[in-house]
Coordinates of all heavy atoms in Angstrom, one line a residue:
M1 N 8.1 2.7 26.3 CA 8.6 1.9 25.3 C 9.4 2.8 24.3 O 8.9 3.7 23.8 CB 7.5 1.2 24.5 CG 8.0 0.2 23.5 SD 6.7 -0.7 22.6 CE 5.9 -1.4 23.9
R2 N 10.7 2.5 24.2 CA 11.5 3.3 23.3 C 11.4 2.7 21.9 O 11.4 1.5 21.7 CB 13.0 3.2 23.8 CG 13.1 4.0 25.1 CD 14.6 3.9 25.5 NE 14.9 4.8 26.6 CZ 14.6 4.6 27.8 NH1 14.0 3.5 28.2 NH2 14.9 5.5 28.8
L3 N 11.5 3.6 20.9 CA 11.3 3.2 19.5 C 12.5 2.2 19.1 O 12.3 1.3 18.3 CB 11.2 4.4 18.6 CG 9.9 5.1 18.7 CD1 10.0 6.4 17.8 CD2 8.8 4.3 18.3
S4 N 13.7 2.5 19.6 CA 14.8 1.7 19.3 C 14.6 0.2 19.8 O 15.0 -0.7 19.1 CB 16.1 2.2 19.9 OG 16.1 2.3 21.3
E5 N 13.9 0.1 20.9 CA 13.6 -1.3 21.5 C 12.6 -2.0 20.6 O 12.8 -3.2 20.3 CB 13.1 -1.2 22.9 CG 14.1 -0.7 23.9 CD 13.5 -0.4 25.2 OE1 12.3 -0.7 25.5 OE2 14.3 0.1 26.1
V6 N 11.6 -1.2 20.1 CA 10.6 -1.8 19.2 C 11.3 -2.3 17.9 O 11.0 -3.4 17.4 CB 9.5 -0.7 18.9 CG1 8.6 -1.2 17.8 CG2 8.8 -0.4 20.1
Y7 N 12.2 -1.4 17.4 CA 12.9 -1.8 16.1 C 13.8 -3.0 16.3 O 13.9 -3.8 15.5 CB 13.6 -0.6 15.6 CG 14.1 -0.8 14.2 CD1 13.2 -1.0 13.1 CD2 15.5 -0.8 13.9 CE1 13.7 -1.2 11.8 CE2 15.9 -1.0 12.6 CZ 15.0 -1.2 11.6 OH 15.5 -1.4 10.3
D8 N 14.5 -3.0 17.5 CA 15.4 -4.1 17.8 C 14.6 -5.4 17.8 O 15.1 -6.5 17.3 CB 16.1 -3.9 19.1 CG 17.1 -2.8 19.1 OD1 17.5 -2.4 17.9 OD2 17.5 -2.3 20.1
V9 N 13.4 -5.4 18.3 CA 12.6 -6.7 18.4 C 12.2 -7.1 16.9 O 12.3 -8.3 16.6 CB 11.3 -6.4 19.2 CG1 10.3 -7.6 19.0 CG2 11.7 -6.2 20.7
F10 N 11.9 -6.1 16.1 CA 11.6 -6.4 14.7 C 12.8 -7.0 14.0 O 12.6 -8.0 13.3 CB 11.1 -5.1 14.0 CG 10.9 -5.3 12.5 CD1 9.8 -6.0 12.0 CD2 11.8 -4.9 11.6 CE1 9.6 -6.2 10.7 CE2 11.7 -5.1 10.3 CZ 10.6 -5.7 9.8
I11 N 13.9 -6.4 14.1 CA 15.2 -6.9 13.5 C 15.5 -8.3 13.9 O 15.8 -9.2 13.1 CB 16.4 -6.0 13.7 CG1 16.1 -4.6 13.0 CG2 17.7 -6.6 13.2 CD1 15.9 -4.7 11.5
E12 N 15.3 -8.6 15.2 CA 15.6 -9.9 15.8 C 14.6 -10.9 15.2 O 15.0 -12.0 14.8 CB 15.5 -9.9 17.3 CG 15.7 -11.3 17.9 CD 15.4 -11.3 19.4 OE1 15.6 -10.3 20.1 OE2 14.8 -12.3 19.9
A13 N 13.3 -10.6 15.2 CA 12.3 -11.5 14.6 C 12.6 -11.8 13.1 O 12.4 -12.9 12.7 CB 10.9 -10.8 14.8
K14 N 13.0 -10.7 12.4 CA 13.3 -10.9 11.0 C 14.6 -11.8 10.8 O 14.6 -12.7 10.0 CB 13.6 -9.5 10.4 CG 13.6 -9.5 8.9 CD 13.6 -8.1 8.4 CE 13.7 -8.1 6.9 NZ 13.7 -6.8 6.3
N15 N 15.6 -11.6 11.6 CA 16.8 -12.4 11.5 C 16.6 -13.8 11.9 O 17.2 -14.7 11.3 CB 17.9 -11.8 12.5 CG 18.5 -10.5 11.9 OD1 18.4 -10.2 10.8 ND2 19.1 -9.7 12.8
Y16 N 15.7 -14.1 12.8 CA 15.4 -15.5 13.2 C 14.2 -16.1 12.4 O 13.7 -17.2 12.7 CB 15.1 -15.6 14.7 CG 16.3 -15.5 15.5 CD1 16.7 -14.3 16.2 CD2 17.2 -16.5 15.7 CE1 17.9 -14.2 16.9 CE2 18.4 -16.4 16.4 CZ 18.7 -15.2 17.0 OH 19.8 -15.1 17.8
K17 N 13.8 -15.3 11.4 CA 12.7 -15.8 10.5 C 11.4 -16.2 11.2 O 10.9 -17.3 10.9 CB 13.3 -16.8 9.6 CG 14.4 -16.4 8.7 CD 14.9 -17.5 7.9 CE 15.9 -17.1 6.8 NZ 17.1 -16.5 7.2
R18 N 11.0 -15.4 12.2 CA 9.8 -15.7 12.9 C 8.6 -15.0 12.2 O 7.9 -14.2 12.7 CB 9.8 -15.2 14.3 CG 10.7 -16.0 15.2 CD 10.5 -15.7 16.7 NE 11.8 -15.5 17.3 CZ 12.3 -14.4 17.7 NH1 11.6 -13.3 17.7 NH2 13.5 -14.4 18.2
W19 N 8.3 -15.5 11.0 CA 7.3 -14.9 10.1 C 6.0 -15.7 10.4 O 6.0 -16.9 10.3 CB 7.7 -15.0 8.7 CG 6.6 -14.5 7.7 CD1 5.9 -15.3 6.9 CD2 6.2 -13.2 7.5 NE1 5.0 -14.5 6.2 CE2 5.2 -13.2 6.5 CE3 6.6 -12.0 8.0 CZ2 4.6 -12.1 6.0 CZ3 6.0 -10.8 7.5 CH2 5.0 -10.9 6.5
D20 N 4.9 -15.0 10.6 CA 3.6 -15.7 10.7 C 2.9 -15.5 9.4 O 2.4 -14.4 9.0 CB 2.8 -15.0 11.8 CG 1.5 -15.7 12.1 OD1 0.9 -16.3 11.1 OD2 1.0 -15.7 13.2
E21 N 2.8 -16.6 8.6 CA 2.2 -16.6 7.3 C 0.8 -16.2 7.3 O 0.3 -15.5 6.4 CB 2.4 -17.9 6.6 CG 2.0 -17.9 5.1 CD 2.7 -16.9 4.3 OE1 4.0 -16.8 4.4 OE2 2.1 -16.3 3.4
E22 N 0.1 -16.7 8.3 CA -1.4 -16.5 8.4 C -1.7 -15.0 8.6 O -2.6 -14.4 8.0 CB -2.0 -17.3 9.5 CG -3.5 -17.2 9.6 CD -4.0 -18.0 10.8 OE1 -3.5 -19.2 10.9 OE2 -4.9 -17.6 11.5
R23 N -1.0 -14.4 9.6 CA -1.2 -13.0 9.9 C -0.4 -12.0 9.1 O -0.6 -10.8 9.2 CB -1.1 -12.7 11.4 CG -2.1 -13.5 12.2 CD -2.0 -13.3 13.7 NE -0.9 -14.0 14.2 CZ -0.5 -13.9 15.5 NH1 -1.1 -13.2 16.3 NH2 0.6 -14.6 15.9
K24 N 0.6 -12.5 8.4 CA 1.5 -11.6 7.5 C 2.3 -10.6 8.3 O 2.4 -9.5 7.9 CB 0.7 -10.9 6.5 CG -0.2 -11.8 5.6 CD 0.7 -12.7 4.7 CE -0.2 -13.5 3.8 NZ 0.3 -14.8 3.4
F25 N 2.9 -11.0 9.4 CA 3.9 -10.2 10.1 C 4.9 -11.0 10.9 O 4.6 -12.2 11.2 CB 3.3 -9.1 10.9 CG 2.2 -9.5 11.9 CD1 2.5 -10.2 13.1 CD2 0.9 -9.2 11.6 CE1 1.5 -10.6 14.0 CE2 -0.1 -9.6 12.5 CZ 0.2 -10.3 13.7
Y26 N 6.0 -10.4 11.3 CA 7.0 -11.1 12.1 C 6.5 -11.1 13.6 O 5.7 -10.2 14.0 CB 8.3 -10.4 12.1 CG 9.0 -10.6 10.7 CD1 8.9 -9.7 9.7 CD2 9.7 -11.8 10.5 CE1 9.5 -9.9 8.5 CE2 10.4 -12.0 9.3 CZ 10.3 -11.0 8.3 OH 10.9 -11.3 7.1
L27 N 7.0 -12.1 14.4 CA 6.6 -12.2 15.8 C 7.8 -12.1 16.7 O 8.9 -12.6 16.3 CB 6.0 -13.6 16.0 CG 4.7 -13.9 15.2 CD1 4.3 -15.4 15.3 CD2 3.6 -13.0 15.6
D28 N 7.6 -11.5 17.9 CA 8.7 -11.5 18.9 C 8.7 -12.9 19.6 O 7.8 -13.7 19.3 CB 8.5 -10.3 19.8 CG 7.3 -10.5 20.7 OD1 6.6 -11.5 20.8 OD2 7.0 -9.5 21.4
P29 N 9.6 -13.1 20.5 CA 9.6 -14.4 21.2 C 8.3 -14.8 21.9 O 8.0 -16.0 22.1 CB 10.8 -14.3 22.2 CG 11.7 -13.3 21.5 CD 10.7 -12.3 20.9
Q30 N 7.5 -13.8 22.3 CA 6.3 -14.1 23.0 C 5.1 -14.2 22.1 O 4.0 -14.2 22.5 CB 6.0 -13.0 24.1 CG 6.9 -12.9 25.2 CD 8.3 -12.3 24.9 OE1 8.4 -11.4 24.1 NE2 9.3 -12.8 25.5
E31 N 5.4 -14.2 20.8 CA 4.4 -14.3 19.7 C 3.5 -13.1 19.6 O 2.4 -13.2 19.1 CB 3.6 -15.6 19.8 CG 4.5 -16.8 19.7 CD 3.7 -18.1 19.4 OE1 2.5 -18.0 19.3 OE2 4.4 -19.1 19.4
N32 N 4.0 -11.9 19.9 CA 3.4 -10.6 19.7 C 3.9 -10.1 18.3 O 5.0 -10.4 17.9 CB 3.7 -9.6 20.8 CG 3.2 -10.0 22.1 OD1 2.1 -10.5 22.3 ND2 4.1 -10.0 23.1
P33 N 3.1 -9.3 17.7 CA 3.6 -8.7 16.4 C 4.8 -7.9 16.6 O 4.9 -7.1 17.6 CB 2.4 -7.9 15.9 CG 1.3 -8.3 16.6 CD 1.7 -8.9 17.9
A34 N 5.8 -8.1 15.8 CA 7.0 -7.3 15.8 C 6.8 -6.1 14.8 O 6.5 -6.4 13.6 CB 8.3 -8.1 15.4
V35 N 7.0 -4.9 15.2 CA 6.7 -3.7 14.5 C 7.9 -3.2 13.7 O 8.9 -2.8 14.3 CB 6.1 -2.6 15.4 CG1 5.7 -1.4 14.6 CG2 4.9 -3.2 16.1
D36 N 7.7 -3.0 12.4 CA 8.7 -2.3 11.6 C 8.4 -0.8 11.7 O 7.2 -0.4 11.5 CB 8.6 -2.8 10.1 CG 9.7 -2.1 9.3 OD1 10.5 -1.3 9.7 OD2 9.8 -2.5 8.1
L37 N 9.3 0.0 12.1 CA 9.1 1.4 12.3 C 8.5 2.1 11.0 O 7.8 3.1 11.1 CB 10.4 2.1 12.7 CG 10.8 1.8 14.1 CD1 12.1 2.6 14.5 CD2 9.8 2.0 15.2
K38 N 8.8 1.5 9.8 CA 8.2 2.1 8.6 C 6.7 2.1 8.6 O 6.1 2.9 7.9 CB 8.8 1.4 7.4 CG 10.3 1.6 7.1 CD 10.7 1.0 5.9 CE 10.6 -0.6 6.0 NZ 11.1 -1.3 4.8
N39 N 6.1 1.1 9.3 CA 4.7 0.9 9.3 C 3.9 1.6 10.5 O 2.7 1.6 10.5 CB 4.4 -0.6 9.4 CG 4.9 -1.3 8.2 OD1 4.9 -0.7 7.1 ND2 5.2 -2.5 8.3
V40 N 4.7 2.2 11.4 CA 4.0 2.8 12.6 C 3.4 4.1 12.2 O 4.0 5.0 11.5 CB 5.0 3.1 13.7 CG1 4.4 3.8 14.9 CG2 5.6 1.7 14.2
D41 N 2.1 4.3 12.6 CA 1.4 5.5 12.4 C 1.7 6.5 13.6 O 1.2 6.4 14.6 CB -0.1 5.3 12.3 CG -0.9 6.5 11.9 OD1 -0.4 7.6 12.2 OD2 -2.0 6.3 11.4
F42 N 2.7 7.4 13.3 CA 3.2 8.2 14.5 C 2.1 9.2 14.9 O 2.1 9.6 16.1 CB 4.5 8.9 14.1 CG 5.6 7.9 14.0 CD1 6.1 7.4 12.8 CD2 6.2 7.5 15.2 CE1 7.1 6.5 12.8 CE2 7.3 6.6 15.2 CZ 7.7 6.1 14.0
K43 N 1.2 9.6 14.1 CA 0.1 10.5 14.6 C -0.8 9.8 15.6 O -1.1 10.3 16.7 CB -0.8 11.0 13.4 CG -0.2 12.1 12.6 CD -1.3 12.5 11.6 CE -0.8 13.7 10.8 NZ -1.8 14.1 9.8
A44 N -1.1 8.5 15.3 CA -1.9 7.7 16.2 C -1.1 7.4 17.5 O -1.7 7.4 18.6 CB -2.4 6.4 15.5
L45 N 0.1 7.2 17.3 CA 1.0 6.9 18.5 C 1.1 8.1 19.4 O 0.9 7.9 20.6 CB 2.4 6.4 18.0 CG 3.3 6.0 19.1 CD1 2.8 4.8 19.8 CD2 4.7 5.6 18.4
A46 N 1.3 9.3 18.8 CA 1.3 10.5 19.6 C 0.0 10.7 20.3 O 0.0 11.2 21.5 CB 1.7 11.7 18.7
T47 N -1.1 10.4 19.7 CA -2.4 10.5 20.3 C -2.6 9.6 21.5 O -3.2 9.9 22.5 CB -3.5 10.3 19.3 OG1 -3.3 11.2 18.2 CG2 -4.9 10.6 19.9
A48 N -2.0 8.4 21.4 CA -2.2 7.4 22.5 C -1.3 7.7 23.7 O -1.6 7.2 24.8 CB -1.8 6.0 21.9
I49 N -0.3 8.5 23.5 CA 0.6 8.8 24.6 C 0.2 10.1 25.3 O 0.1 11.1 24.7 CB 2.1 9.0 24.1 CG1 2.5 7.7 23.4 CG2 3.0 9.4 25.3 CD1 3.8 7.8 22.7
P50 N -0.1 10.0 26.6 CA -0.5 11.2 27.4 C 0.6 12.2 27.6 O 1.8 11.8 27.5 CB -1.0 10.6 28.7 CG -0.3 9.4 28.9 CD 0.0 8.8 27.5
T51 N 0.3 13.4 27.9 CA 1.3 14.4 28.2 C 1.9 14.0 29.6 O 1.3 13.2 30.3 CB 0.8 15.8 28.3 OG1 -0.2 15.8 29.4 CG2 0.1 16.3 27.0
A52 N 3.1 14.5 29.9 CA 3.7 14.2 31.2 C 2.9 14.6 32.3 O 2.7 13.8 33.3 CB 5.1 14.8 31.3
G53 N 2.3 15.7 32.3 CA 1.4 16.2 33.4 C 0.2 15.3 33.6 O -0.1 15.0 34.7
E54 N -0.4 14.9 32.5 CA -1.6 14.1 32.6 C -1.2 12.7 33.1 O -1.8 12.1 34.0 CB -2.2 13.9 31.2 CG -3.4 13.0 31.1 CD -3.9 12.7 29.7 OE1 -3.4 13.4 28.7 OE2 -4.8 11.9 29.6
F55 N -0.1 12.2 32.6 CA 0.4 10.9 33.0 C 0.7 10.8 34.6 O 0.2 10.0 35.3 CB 1.7 10.5 32.3 CG 2.2 9.1 32.6 CD1 1.7 8.0 32.1 CD2 3.3 9.0 33.5 CE1 2.2 6.7 32.5 CE2 3.8 7.8 33.9 CZ 3.3 6.6 33.3
Y56 N 1.4 11.8 35.0 CA 1.8 11.8 36.5 C 0.6 12.1 37.4 O 0.6 11.6 38.5 CB 3.0 12.7 36.7 CG 4.3 12.1 36.1 CD1 4.9 12.7 35.1 CD2 4.8 10.9 36.6 CE1 6.1 12.1 34.5 CE2 5.9 10.3 36.1 CZ 6.6 10.9 35.0 OH 7.7 10.4 34.5
S57 N -0.3 12.9 36.9 CA -1.4 13.2 37.8 C -2.4 12.0 37.9 O -2.9 11.6 38.9 CB -2.2 14.4 37.3 OG -2.8 14.2 36.1
K58 N -2.5 11.3 36.7 CA -3.4 10.1 36.7 C -2.8 8.9 37.4 O -3.5 8.0 37.9 CB -3.9 9.8 35.3 CG -4.8 10.8 34.8 CD -5.5 10.4 33.5 CE -6.5 11.4 33.0 NZ -7.1 11.0 31.8
I59 N -1.5 8.8 37.3 CA -0.8 7.6 37.9 C -0.9 7.7 39.4 O -0.9 6.6 40.1 CB 0.7 7.5 37.5 CG1 1.1 6.1 37.5 CG2 1.6 8.4 38.3 CD1 2.4 5.8 36.8
K60 N -1.0 8.9 40.0 CA -1.2 9.0 41.5 C -2.6 8.5 41.8 O -2.8 7.9 42.9 CB -1.1 10.4 41.9 CG 0.3 10.9 41.8 CD 0.4 12.4 42.3 CE 1.8 12.9 42.1 NZ 1.9 14.4 42.5
E61 N -3.6 8.7 41.0 CA -5.0 8.3 41.3 C -5.3 6.9 41.0 O -6.0 6.2 41.7 CB -6.0 9.2 40.4 CG -5.9 10.6 40.6 CD -6.6 11.4 39.6 OE1 -7.4 10.8 38.7 OE2 -6.5 12.6 39.5
D62 N -4.6 6.3 39.9 CA -4.9 5.0 39.4 C -3.6 4.2 39.3 O -2.8 4.5 38.4 CB -5.7 5.1 38.1 CG -6.1 3.7 37.6 OD1 -5.8 2.7 38.2 OD2 -6.7 3.7 36.5
K63 N -3.4 3.2 40.1 CA -2.1 2.4 40.0 C -2.0 1.6 38.7 O -0.9 1.2 38.4 CB -2.0 1.5 41.2 CG -2.0 2.3 42.5 CD -1.5 1.4 43.7 CE -1.6 2.2 45.0 NZ -0.6 3.1 45.2
N64 N -3.1 1.4 38.1 CA -3.1 0.6 36.8 C -2.9 1.5 35.6 O -2.9 1.0 34.5 CB -4.4 -0.2 36.7 CG -4.5 -1.3 37.7 OD1 -3.5 -1.9 38.1 ND2 -5.7 -1.5 38.3
Y65 N -2.9 2.8 35.8 CA -2.8 3.7 34.6 C -1.6 3.5 33.7 O -1.8 3.5 32.5 CB -2.9 5.2 35.1 CG -2.9 6.2 34.0 CD1 -4.1 6.3 33.2 CD2 -1.8 7.0 33.7 CE1 -4.1 7.2 32.2 CE2 -1.9 7.9 32.6 CZ -3.1 8.0 31.9 OH -3.1 8.9 30.9
E66 N -0.5 3.3 34.3 CA 0.7 3.0 33.5 C 0.6 1.8 32.6 O 0.9 1.9 31.4 CB 2.0 2.9 34.4 CG 3.3 2.7 33.6 CD 4.5 2.7 34.5 OE1 4.4 2.7 35.7 OE2 5.6 2.7 33.9
K67 N 0.0 0.7 33.1 CA -0.2 -0.5 32.3 C -1.2 -0.2 31.2 O -1.1 -0.7 30.1 CB -0.7 -1.6 33.2 CG 0.4 -2.1 34.1 CD 0.0 -3.3 34.9 CE 1.2 -3.8 35.8 NZ 0.8 -4.8 36.6
E68 N -2.3 0.6 31.5 CA -3.3 1.0 30.5 C -2.6 1.7 29.4 O -3.0 1.5 28.2 CB -4.4 1.8 31.1 CG -5.3 1.0 32.1 CD -6.3 1.8 32.8 OE1 -6.6 2.9 32.4 OE2 -6.7 1.4 33.9
V69 N -1.8 2.7 29.7 CA -1.1 3.5 28.6 C -0.2 2.5 27.8 O -0.2 2.7 26.6 CB -0.2 4.6 29.3 CG1 0.6 5.3 28.2 CG2 -1.1 5.6 29.9
E70 N 0.5 1.6 28.4 CA 1.3 0.7 27.7 C 0.5 -0.1 26.7 O 0.8 -0.4 25.6 CB 2.1 -0.2 28.6 CG 3.3 0.5 29.3 CD 4.0 -0.4 30.2 OE1 3.9 -1.7 30.1 OE2 4.7 0.1 31.1
K71 N -0.7 -0.6 27.2 CA -1.6 -1.4 26.3 C -2.1 -0.5 25.1 O -2.2 -1.0 24.0 CB -2.8 -1.9 27.1 CG -2.5 -3.0 28.1 CD -3.7 -3.4 28.9 CE -3.4 -4.4 29.9 NZ -4.6 -4.8 30.7
R72 N -2.4 0.7 25.4 CA -2.9 1.6 24.3 C -1.8 1.7 23.2 O -2.0 1.7 22.0 CB -3.2 3.0 24.8 CG -4.6 3.1 25.4 CD -4.9 4.6 25.6 NE -4.0 5.2 26.6 CZ -4.2 6.4 27.1 NH1 -5.1 7.2 26.7 NH2 -3.3 6.9 27.9
I73 N -0.5 1.9 23.7 CA 0.6 2.1 22.8 C 0.8 0.8 22.0 O 1.0 0.8 20.7 CB 1.9 2.5 23.5 CG1 1.7 3.9 24.1 CG2 3.1 2.4 22.6 CD1 2.8 4.3 25.0
K74 N 0.7 -0.4 22.6 CA 0.8 -1.6 21.9 C -0.3 -1.8 20.9 O -0.1 -2.3 19.8 CB 0.9 -2.8 22.9 CG 2.2 -2.9 23.6 CD 2.2 -4.1 24.5 CE 3.6 -4.2 25.2 NZ 3.7 -5.4 26.0
R75 N -1.5 -1.4 21.3 CA -2.6 -1.5 20.3 C -2.4 -0.7 19.1 O -2.7 -1.2 17.9 CB -3.9 -1.1 21.0 CG -4.6 -2.2 21.7 CD -6.0 -1.8 22.2 NE -6.0 -1.9 23.6 CZ -6.3 -1.0 24.5 NH1 -6.8 0.1 24.0 NH2 -6.3 -1.2 25.8
V76 N -1.9 0.5 19.2 CA -1.6 1.3 18.1 C -0.5 0.7 17.2 O -0.6 0.6 16.0 CB -1.1 2.8 18.5 CG1 -0.6 3.6 17.3 CG2 -2.3 3.5 19.2
N77 N 0.6 0.2 17.9 CA 1.6 -0.5 17.1 C 1.1 -1.7 16.4 O 1.4 -1.9 15.2 CB 2.8 -0.9 18.0 CG 3.6 0.2 18.4 OD1 3.7 1.2 17.7 ND2 4.3 0.1 19.5
N78 N 0.3 -2.5 17.0 CA -0.3 -3.7 16.4 C -1.2 -3.4 15.3 O -1.2 -4.0 14.2 CB -1.0 -4.6 17.4 CG -0.1 -5.2 18.4 OD1 1.2 -5.2 18.2 ND2 -0.6 -5.7 19.5
A79 N -2.0 -2.3 15.4 CA -2.9 -1.9 14.4 C -2.1 -1.4 13.2 O -2.4 -1.6 12.0 CB -3.8 -0.8 14.8
S80 N -0.9 -0.8 13.4 CA 0.0 -0.4 12.3 C 0.5 -1.6 11.6 O 0.7 -1.5 10.4 CB 1.1 0.4 12.9 OG 0.7 1.6 13.5
V81 N 0.7 -2.7 12.3 CA 1.3 -3.9 11.6 C 0.2 -4.5 10.8 O 0.4 -4.9 9.7 CB 1.8 -4.9 12.7 CG1 2.0 -6.2 12.1 CG2 3.1 -4.3 13.3
E82 N -1.0 -4.7 11.4 CA -2.1 -5.5 10.8 C -2.6 -4.9 9.5 O -2.8 -5.6 8.5 CB -3.2 -5.7 11.8 CG -2.8 -6.6 13.0 CD -3.7 -6.6 14.1 OE1 -4.8 -6.0 14.0 OE2 -3.4 -7.1 15.2
K83 N -2.8 -3.6 9.5 CA -3.2 -2.9 8.3 C -3.2 -1.4 8.5 O -3.4 -1.0 9.6 CB -4.5 -3.4 7.7 CG -5.7 -3.0 8.6 CD -7.0 -3.5 8.0 CE -8.2 -3.1 8.8 NZ -9.4 -3.4 8.2
K84 N -2.9 -0.7 7.4 CA -2.9 0.8 7.6 C -4.3 1.3 7.9 O -5.3 0.9 7.2 CB -2.4 1.4 6.3 CG -1.0 1.2 6.0 CD -0.2 2.0 7.0 CE 1.3 2.0 6.6 NZ 2.1 2.8 7.5
K85 N -4.4 2.0 8.9 CA -5.7 2.6 9.3 C -5.5 4.1 9.6 O -4.4 4.6 9.8 CB -6.2 1.9 10.6 CG -6.5 0.5 10.5 CD -6.9 -0.1 11.8 CE -7.1 -1.6 11.7 NZ -7.6 -2.2 12.9
S86 N -6.6 4.8 9.6 CA -6.6 6.2 9.9 C -6.4 6.4 11.4 O -6.7 5.5 12.2 CB -7.8 6.9 9.4 OG -8.9 6.5 10.2
V87 N -6.0 7.5 11.8 CA -5.8 7.8 13.2 C -7.1 7.6 13.9 O -7.2 7.0 15.0 CB -5.3 9.2 13.4 CG1 -5.3 9.6 14.9 CG2 -3.9 9.4 12.8
E88 N -8.2 8.1 13.3 CA -9.5 8.0 13.9 C -10.0 6.5 14.1 O -10.5 6.2 15.2 CB -10.6 8.7 13.1 CG -10.4 10.2 13.0 CD -9.4 10.7 12.1 OE1 -8.9 9.9 11.2 OE2 -8.9 11.9 12.2
E89 N -9.7 5.7 13.2 CA -10.1 4.3 13.3 C -9.3 3.6 14.5 O -9.9 2.8 15.2 CB -9.8 3.5 12.0 CG -10.7 3.8 10.9 CD -10.3 3.1 9.6 OE1 -9.1 3.2 9.3 OE2 -11.2 2.6 8.9
I90 N -8.0 3.9 14.6 CA -7.2 3.3 15.6 C -7.7 3.8 17.0 O -7.8 3.0 17.9 CB -5.7 3.6 15.4 CG1 -5.2 2.9 14.1 CG2 -4.9 3.2 16.6 CD1 -3.8 3.3 13.7
I91 N -8.0 5.1 17.1 CA -8.4 5.6 18.4 C -9.8 5.0 18.7 O -10.0 4.6 19.9 CB -8.5 7.2 18.3 CG1 -7.1 7.8 18.2 CG2 -9.3 7.7 19.5 CD1 -7.1 9.2 17.9
D92 N -10.7 4.9 17.8 CA -12.0 4.3 18.0 C -11.8 2.9 18.5 O -12.5 2.4 19.5 CB -12.9 4.3 16.8 CG -13.4 5.7 16.4 OD1 -13.3 6.6 17.3 OD2 -13.9 5.8 15.3
E93 N -10.9 2.1 17.9 CA -10.7 0.7 18.3 C -10.1 0.7 19.7 O -10.5 -0.2 20.5 CB -9.8 0.0 17.3 CG -10.5 -0.4 16.0 CD -9.6 -1.1 15.1 OE1 -8.5 -1.5 15.5 OE2 -10.0 -1.2 13.9
S94 N -9.2 1.6 20.0 CA -8.5 1.6 21.3 C -9.5 1.9 22.4 O -9.5 1.4 23.5 CB -7.4 2.6 21.3 OG -6.4 2.2 20.4
Q95 N -10.5 2.8 22.1 CA -11.5 3.2 23.1 C -12.4 2.1 23.4 O -12.9 2.0 24.5 CB -12.2 4.5 22.7 CG -11.3 5.7 22.7 CD -12.0 6.9 22.2 OE1 -13.0 6.8 21.5 NE2 -11.4 8.1 22.5
K96 N -12.7 1.3 22.4 CA -13.6 0.1 22.6 C -13.0 -0.8 23.6 O -13.7 -1.4 24.4 CB -13.9 -0.6 21.3 CG -14.8 0.2 20.4 CD -15.0 -0.5 19.1 CE -15.8 0.3 18.1 NZ -15.9 -0.3 16.8

């Protein structure tokens, strides 16, 4: 997932006024939280992303690994939207 794509989704959601009053964030067309890059915890994001070597060695072993990594990244982004948390809290939640 490229950061520019994440930001484009946020700008689109903001322009089309897809604000969720209950959860206090903008939504993409699929009703996922749209992330403003100002709110992303980049330390937690970097922790969620495996190194290239780790990624390619595990993807050979587990065909679902790429989807799992994408889910981890989305969880970090969503946690950044929902409320500011420490890196440790986000990692603990992701591991659960």
